[in-house]
Amino acid sequence: QVQLVESGGGLVQPGGSLRISCAASGHTASTYTMGWFRQAPGKERDFVARINWSGGVIVYADSVKGRFTISRDNANKNTVYLQMNSLKPEDTAVYYCAARSAARTAGYDYWGQGTQVTVSS
């Protein structure tokens, strides 16, 4: 069992930066692929980025390439970060952390509760 707890959301002005975190608990958490998703009001949940257990495989959605950076620190409570730069109002959403075992190539086994990111002047 893996539990995910996001933190770091908030209000930021357009063009600003924000870093959100996801702490994963569970003895196998360091071996899991971790992902970030987001859901804006009235819209479906969309993929943002994912990182494999070693950090050697990273994938981004086209909408965030060049602006967002995903990273992980397996030595620090298996924490995954999403550094968000050059934020736009359309980045406003609830951001969710997700985890899946290395054996899976699609879908996620565990989800966090989400953290709100609002980009507004």
Side-chain angles (χ1 to χ4, degrees):
Q1 189 77 3
V2 174
Q3 292 186 328
L4 305 173
V5 179
E6 300 99 333
S7 62
L11 173 64
V12 62
Q13 292 186 343
S17 298
L18 195 66
R19 189 179 78 163
I20 56 178
S21 304
C22 172
S25 63
H27 70 284
T28 59
S30 63
T31 67
Y32 277 55
T33 290
M34 303 295 293
W36 284 101
F37 290 76
R38 65 186 182 185
Q39 187 168 21
K43 295 187 177 181
E44 295 185 349
R45 187 174 299 187
D46 291 329
F47 167 76
V48 175
R50 71 170 182 266
I51 184 169
N52 77 328
W53 70 273
S54 68
V57 178
I58 292 175
V59 179
Y60 294 101
D62 288 343
S63 59
V64 306
K65 280 182 182 177
R67 300 189 299 122
F68 290 12
T69 302
I70 188 172
S71 61
R72 69 187 296 165
D73 184 350
N74 291 340
N76 180 23
K77 298 182 180 180
N78 298 316
T79 302
V80 177
Y81 304 97
L82 186 68
Q83 176 67 45
M84 303 180 289
N85 298 327
S86 301
L87 282 162
K88 306 174 182 179
E90 51 263 44
D91 293 319
T92 295
V94 177
Y95 283 71
Y96 296 91
C97 176
R100 70 178 183 215
S101 67
R104 295 189 66 168
T105 58
Y108 286 80
D109 300 298
Y110 304 100
W111 292 85
Q113 82 288 351
T115 186
Q116 176 71 46
V117 173
T118 302
V119 184
S120 175
S121 55

